[in-house]
Amino acid sequence: DERPSDEPDLLRRLNRRGIPIGEPIPIDGGIRAITVGGGFVWVSLWDEGTILQLTKRGAEVDSFEIGQAANYLSYGDGRLWASVPTLSTVYEFRRDAPRRPYRVGPEPADIAVDGRKVYVAIRGAGEVRVLTRGDPRARPERIRVPLGPVDVAAGYGAIWVTGTTAKGGRLTRIEPD
Protein backbone atom coordinates (compact mmCIF):
# COMPACT_ATOMS: atom_id res chain seq x y z
CA ASP A 1 0.00 0.00 0.00
CA GLU A 2 1.13 3.50 -0.80
CA ARG A 3 0.43 6.45 1.42
CA PRO A 4 -2.03 8.77 -0.38
CA SER A 5 -0.07 12.00 0.20
CA ASP A 6 3.26 13.29 1.46
CA GLU A 7 1.51 16.04 3.43
CA PRO A 8 1.24 15.47 7.19
CA ASP A 9 -2.11 14.16 8.36
CA LEU A 10 -3.91 16.31 10.92
CA LEU A 11 -5.36 15.31 14.26
CA ARG A 12 -8.29 17.63 14.89
CA ARG A 13 -10.34 18.05 18.04
CA LEU A 14 -14.02 18.87 17.51
CA ASN A 15 -16.88 19.57 19.86
CA ARG A 16 -20.22 17.73 19.51
CA ARG A 17 -21.40 20.28 16.92
CA GLY A 18 -18.32 19.69 14.75
CA ILE A 19 -16.66 22.99 15.62
CA PRO A 20 -12.83 22.78 15.89
CA ILE A 21 -11.23 23.12 19.33
CA GLY A 22 -7.70 24.53 19.26
CA GLU A 23 -5.23 24.12 16.43
CA PRO A 24 -4.88 20.87 14.43
CA ILE A 25 -1.88 18.73 15.34
CA PRO A 26 0.20 17.52 12.35
CA ILE A 27 1.08 13.81 12.36
CA ASP A 28 4.10 13.24 10.12
CA GLY A 29 4.21 9.85 8.47
CA GLY A 30 0.44 9.66 7.89
CA ILE A 31 -2.23 7.96 9.99
CA ARG A 32 -2.94 4.37 8.95
CA ALA A 33 -4.82 2.90 11.95
CA ILE A 34 -6.13 4.09 15.29
CA THR A 35 -7.58 2.70 18.53
CA VAL A 36 -8.12 3.91 22.07
CA GLY A 37 -7.50 2.22 25.39
CA GLY A 38 -5.67 2.43 28.67
CA GLY A 39 -6.28 6.18 28.80
CA PHE A 40 -4.46 6.81 25.51
CA VAL A 41 -4.97 7.13 21.78
CA TRP A 42 -2.78 4.76 19.71
CA VAL A 43 -1.91 5.64 16.10
CA SER A 44 -0.11 3.52 13.51
CA LEU A 45 1.80 5.50 10.88
CA TRP A 46 1.91 4.65 7.16
CA ASP A 47 5.58 4.97 6.44
CA GLU A 48 7.88 4.10 9.27
CA GLY A 49 6.27 1.17 11.04
CA THR A 50 5.85 3.45 14.05
CA ILE A 51 3.08 3.43 16.63
CA LEU A 52 2.44 6.65 18.55
CA GLN A 53 1.00 6.81 22.05
CA LEU A 54 -0.97 10.06 22.45
CA THR A 55 -2.90 11.68 25.26
CA LYS A 56 -6.62 12.29 24.78
CA ARG A 57 -5.72 15.83 23.73
CA GLY A 58 -3.24 14.59 21.10
CA ALA A 59 0.11 15.22 22.83
CA GLU A 60 2.71 12.54 22.09
CA VAL A 61 3.67 10.47 25.14
CA ASP A 62 5.79 7.79 23.49
CA SER A 63 6.50 6.05 20.21
CA PHE A 64 7.93 2.70 19.24
CA GLU A 65 9.05 0.95 16.07
CA ILE A 66 7.65 -2.35 14.84
CA GLY A 67 9.47 -2.51 11.50
CA GLN A 68 6.42 -2.43 9.19
CA ALA A 69 3.18 -0.45 9.22
CA ALA A 70 0.31 -1.92 11.23
CA ASN A 71 -2.99 -1.94 9.32
CA TYR A 72 -5.18 -2.54 12.38
CA LEU A 73 -4.86 -1.75 16.08
CA SER A 74 -6.92 -2.97 19.02
CA TYR A 75 -6.69 -2.48 22.78
CA GLY A 76 -7.99 -4.76 25.49
CA ASP A 77 -7.15 -5.95 28.98
CA GLY A 78 -4.11 -3.66 29.31
CA ARG A 79 -2.56 -4.70 26.00
CA LEU A 80 -2.18 -3.08 22.60
CA TRP A 81 -2.45 -5.39 19.58
CA ALA A 82 -1.13 -4.53 16.10
CA SER A 83 -1.78 -6.45 12.88
CA VAL A 84 1.09 -6.34 10.34
CA PRO A 85 0.01 -8.07 7.10
CA THR A 86 3.39 -7.78 5.37
CA LEU A 87 4.89 -9.94 8.12
CA SER A 88 1.85 -12.26 8.61
CA THR A 89 2.14 -11.29 12.26
CA VAL A 90 0.15 -9.78 15.13
CA TYR A 91 2.12 -8.08 17.91
CA GLU A 92 1.12 -7.87 21.57
CA PHE A 93 2.43 -4.89 23.56
CA ARG A 94 2.34 -4.58 27.34
CA ARG A 95 3.77 -1.76 29.39
CA ASP A 96 5.97 -4.04 31.54
CA ALA A 97 7.17 -6.54 28.92
CA PRO A 98 8.83 -6.70 25.51
CA ARG A 99 6.56 -7.00 22.49
CA ARG A 100 5.42 -10.51 21.55
CA PRO A 101 5.04 -11.56 17.92
CA TYR A 102 2.33 -14.09 16.99
CA ARG A 103 2.73 -15.66 13.52
CA VAL A 104 -0.88 -15.90 12.40
CA GLY A 105 -0.93 -16.53 8.65
CA PRO A 106 -1.54 -14.70 5.39
CA GLU A 107 -3.03 -11.22 5.42
CA PRO A 108 -4.04 -10.68 9.04
CA ALA A 109 -6.58 -7.88 9.28
CA ASP A 110 -8.66 -6.62 12.21
CA ILE A 111 -8.25 -7.75 15.82
CA ALA A 112 -10.82 -8.08 18.63
CA VAL A 113 -10.03 -8.73 22.27
CA ASP A 114 -12.59 -10.56 24.40
CA GLY A 115 -11.26 -11.35 27.85
CA ARG A 116 -8.33 -13.76 27.54
CA LYS A 117 -9.04 -14.54 23.87
CA VAL A 118 -7.82 -12.53 20.91
CA TYR A 119 -9.61 -12.94 17.57
CA VAL A 120 -7.80 -12.10 14.32
CA ALA A 121 -9.49 -11.92 10.90
CA ILE A 122 -7.20 -13.76 8.45
CA ARG A 123 -8.26 -12.54 5.04
CA GLY A 124 -5.81 -14.73 3.10
CA ALA A 125 -7.09 -17.96 4.73
CA GLY A 126 -10.82 -17.21 5.00
CA GLU A 127 -10.88 -17.72 8.73
CA VAL A 128 -10.67 -16.16 12.17
CA ARG A 129 -7.81 -17.36 14.34
CA VAL A 130 -8.14 -17.36 18.11
CA LEU A 131 -4.88 -16.59 19.92
CA THR A 132 -3.95 -17.66 23.41
CA ARG A 133 -3.04 -14.36 25.02
CA GLY A 134 0.46 -14.40 26.48
CA ASP A 135 1.56 -17.54 24.60
CA PRO A 136 2.76 -16.79 21.04
CA ARG A 137 3.89 -20.42 20.56
CA ALA A 138 0.43 -21.90 21.17
CA ARG A 139 -1.29 -23.11 18.02
CA PRO A 140 -4.28 -20.81 17.34
CA GLU A 141 -7.77 -22.24 17.01
CA ARG A 142 -9.08 -21.79 13.43
CA ILE A 143 -12.68 -20.88 12.66
CA ARG A 144 -13.72 -20.96 8.97
CA VAL A 145 -15.90 -18.03 7.91
CA PRO A 146 -17.52 -17.09 4.59
CA LEU A 147 -15.69 -14.77 2.22
CA GLY A 148 -12.44 -13.01 3.08
CA PRO A 149 -12.80 -11.73 6.66
CA VAL A 150 -11.66 -8.15 7.19
CA ASP A 151 -13.25 -6.70 10.32
CA VAL A 152 -13.88 -8.43 13.63
CA ALA A 153 -15.50 -7.13 16.82
CA ALA A 154 -16.35 -8.58 20.22
CA GLY A 155 -19.60 -7.67 21.96
CA TYR A 156 -23.12 -8.70 22.93
CA GLY A 157 -21.97 -12.22 23.78
CA ALA A 158 -20.48 -12.98 20.36
CA ILE A 159 -17.68 -12.32 17.90
CA TRP A 160 -18.83 -10.44 14.79
CA VAL A 161 -16.96 -10.80 11.49
CA THR A 162 -17.43 -9.03 8.15
CA GLY A 163 -16.21 -10.45 4.88
CA THR A 164 -16.41 -8.96 1.41
CA THR A 165 -15.95 -9.76 -2.25
CA ALA A 166 -16.62 -7.72 -5.39
CA LYS A 167 -20.19 -9.09 -5.33
CA GLY A 168 -21.06 -8.03 -1.79
CA GLY A 169 -20.49 -8.74 1.86
CA ARG A 170 -21.56 -10.93 4.73
CA LEU A 171 -21.82 -10.54 8.49
CA THR A 172 -21.06 -13.67 10.53
CA ARG A 173 -21.76 -14.17 14.24
CA ILE A 174 -19.47 -16.59 16.09
CA GLU A 175 -20.80 -17.94 19.38
CA PRO A 176 -17.93 -18.30 21.88
CA ASP A 177 -17.72 -21.50 23.93
Side-chain angles (χ1 to χ4, degrees), residues 50-134:
T50 301
I51 295 177
L52 301 179
Q53 180 184 12
L54 308 174
T55 66
K56 296 174 199 175
R57 298 200 179 274
E60 187 174 326
V61 174
D62 201 358
S63 68
F64 44 97
E65 301 295 320
I66 59 172
Q68 297 285 328
N71 283 5
Y72 294 88
L73 299 175
S74 186
Y75 193 93
D77 198 30
R79 292 164 170 82
L80 175 68
W81 297 84
S83 175
V84 183
T86 55
L87 301 176
S88 299
T89 300
V90 168
Y91 288 97
E92 172 191 8
F93 299 92
R94 287 189 345 209
R95 184 179 313 236
D96 59 345
R99 72 178 179 206
R100 290 184 176 152
Y102 292 73
R103 297 284 296 170
V104 293
E107 298 179 69
D110 203 6
I111 308 160
V113 181
D114 187 28
R116 295 199 49 83
K117 294 188 177 186
V118 179
Y119 298 83
V120 183
I122 306 294
R123 184 176 213 160
E127 58 192 31
V128 170
R129 297 201 179 153
V130 185
L131 306 181
T132 303
R133 193 185 76 200

Side-chain angles (χ1 to χ4, degrees), residues 10-29:
L10 298 174
L11 174 62
R12 297 180 186 272
R13 293 181 54 222
L14 305 175
N15 67 18
R16 291 179 186 254
R17 294 180 305 231
I19 298 171
I21 301 170
E23 292 296 314
I25 300 167
I27 305 287
D28 290 326

